[in-house]
Amino acid sequence: VIREERECHPIIEGLSKRDEINIRLWHLPRFPTLVRLGALEITDSTRRVYPEGEALAHVVGLLAEADVDIIEKRPFVIDSGASSSEIPGRSPQQPRRIDWGGYRLGDMRGSTGVEWLAEDELRGQRGQVEEFIDGRPPERAEPRPGRDVAISIDARLQQRVYQVLHQAIAAHQQTQGWKLIPGASVVVLDVATREVLAMTSYPSFSPQTFREDYDELIDDQEGRPLINRAVQVQYCPGSIVKPITIVAAHEEGLIDLDTRLECRGALHPDRPGVFRCWRPAGHSVPNQHGMITAQEAIRGSCNVFCYRLGNEFCEHFGGPVGGVARMCEWLQRFGVGRLTEVGLPGEKKGFLPTPEWLQRGPLHSRQPVTADARNYAIGQGEVEVTPLQAANIAATLASGDMRPVTLRIGNDGLAVQRLPVDEAMWRAIRSGMYDVVNHPDGTAPGARLRHDGFCLCGKSGSAQTPRWPTEFRVRHAHGEEEIEAGSESEARRLFIAKHPQFKPADLDVQCVAWFPDRPAEEGRSYSHAWFAAFIQPMSGGSPAWSQPAPLAIVVLLEFGGSGGSVAAPLCRDVADMIIEEFPEYVRTQTESDALGSRFDFLDR
Ligand SMILES: [Zn+2]
């Protein structure tokens, strides 16, 4: 039986009302028999509309035609065409087992974002009317629409965060005079539930005109607008992990709250060029960090304090292998190196450079050394996190609880893990993060809020990064070609896809263009700008630590430079905007208690 004999399928899609009228008037009358048998008809179809446009494009995601794998896994098949009573081995009463939600060629399904995540819920079932020529009554299977899916993202908040981010980048670019920040991400998490309230990735695209714009979108190697930077790109975290290093050192008994370690601008003042603090040895003594406590090390983002902790880890745990391993365990407790469980396709899990990876790594294959521990202690070296992971780290520092992140409303089913950390240590870390913003010696005074009732507590990070390759020259025996790609292996792959007659060994691949297009100035380097923070209620001019922090906010600006001076003010703008325009998200405990009892009253 040819499928077309039994199943209708679209031959033309997306007709306008005008086309429909024309076809009904002029074309259908030419095929009266087909029309009478129902073999040719015009029916209504559905089409996605995207009212939130580009602000929500990455989260909502896109549809694509189901590929062969999907169809094979869950096919839509109508059996041979005989009615059930005629199929051998099947009694007339036995209903046919047809998966009405199955896929066949031409079906659309979610390919990215929540469209992908919630495909099974969103997907409806097709219907069918089967008519018989022997006069039996027609058999009907009614179509069923998919279920609605509600996600935790607040669409209005998402729009506003995207706007604030967009404006900040435009302003930054104007003052710099050239395109400096190719991409950025801002994530807002509910600390208590870890519901994602906003997750933006810049630049974005319009889902409505995605098909028309596709070639242009895919060609943009710097902006890479189709990538959701919040989850699909992992970055060196820089100093935003220093609180983890300090918590770890304290809980392992390497320091206590009063321990003072010395920073004279570099780990070895006689070798000021290596293992430097950002306040280098050349500074006058009063400008160096000096003898400082853990809380002061966070406030001043001291590298040397953390280098010393890296040393301590190695000494205490039997050398660099043990030290690096123990530091990696602590990073992992805060979610580095594992998925957040948000469930989005293509999520990266960050990178945890364990001793095993260093020993067996395809590129390195070397023993860990103390320098690794020192670098990981300040978030440099191979450690990498996604912006969503960084937001979860901020929420974990704020609450003491590690939990998975979700886009679903209500996170009750997901495991809460109370981290084994002393309460006094949490207080010191949070006070240090308060000082980062609110103490005269803090690294991010630009994150001070306009509102008296709340403050930001945060950690800045300026994570050094090499320039990104954007174009490669591929040489082979018969000539050469330039190809846009983000890495050497991608360049090879793209080239061979285009010219399958070549093998990888035939090609000599060389990077010829980078972003940014000029090298960093002498003695300086490029860095991504981070600010990882939480909003804390205030009372009487100081943080009310007895009240829980409602929100965690993370800002990442690629090649943004200094986290303290570039990312922190943007974090402040986002926080101020939320407090002004979305007060329901930062309502203090006493207020929500009052509200709760009001509702209790109404219930009775
Ligand atoms: Zn220092």
Side-chain angles (χ1 to χ4, degrees), residues 263-266 277-279 288-290 292 300-305:
C263 169
R264 286 170 58 199
C277 194
W278 66 273
R279 283 187 157 181
Q288 295 169 2
H289 286 126
I292 51 173
S301 197
C302 182
N303 288 349
V304 172
F305 189 94

Side-chain angles (χ1 to χ4, degrees), residues 145-286:
R147 273 178 285 155
D148 287 343
V149 169
I151 58 171
S152 59
I153 299 269
D154 180 325
R156 225 162 40 88
L157 175 64
Q158 174 93 2
Q159 285 287 3
R160 288 291 289 124
V161 171
Y162 190 74
Q163 262 173 15
V164 172
L165 171 62
H166 202 298
Q167 284 162 1
I169 291 177
H172 183 78
Q173 240 112 259
Q174 221 159 31
T175 55
Q176 295 292 327
W178 58 298
K179 190 182 173 190
L180 191 68
I181 297 175
S185 177
V186 176
V187 175
V188 182
L189 279 188
D190 182 312
V191 170
T193 63
R194 302 300 153 93
E195 289 171 2
V196 186
L197 300 176
M199 179 197 277
T200 58
S201 178
Y202 173 92
S204 187
F205 60 94
S206 162
Q208 214 70 62
T209 57
F210 168 73
R211 277 164 204 285
E212 296 88 86
D213 303 341
Y214 184 77
D215 287 341
E216 204 179 310
L217 293 169
I218 207 85
D219 272 352
D220 184 354
Q221 282 294 323
E222 287 158 19
R224 295 182 296 163
L226 297 179
I227 289 179
N228 181 358
R229 287 170 156 83
V231 293
Q232 293 177 329
V233 185
Q234 51 196 38
Y235 304 88
C236 177
S239 303
I240 62 169
V241 302
K242 281 177 183 165
I244 300 180
T245 306
I246 290 172
V247 163
H250 182 261
E251 297 312 308
E252 299 290 358
L254 309 180
I255 51 166
D256 60 39
L257 295 176
D258 305 320
T259 304
R260 287 181 181 273
L261 301 176
E262 189 176 35
C263 169
R264 286 170 58 199
L267 183 61
H268 315 287
D270 52 330
R271 277 188 287 150
V274 290
F275 295 110
R276 280 182 297 178
C277 194
W278 66 273
R279 283 187 157 181
H283 275 63
S284 59
V285 172

Side-chain angles (χ1 to χ4, degrees), residues 97 112 293 340 554:
R97 262 196 231 114
T112 61
T293 62
T340 62
V554 155

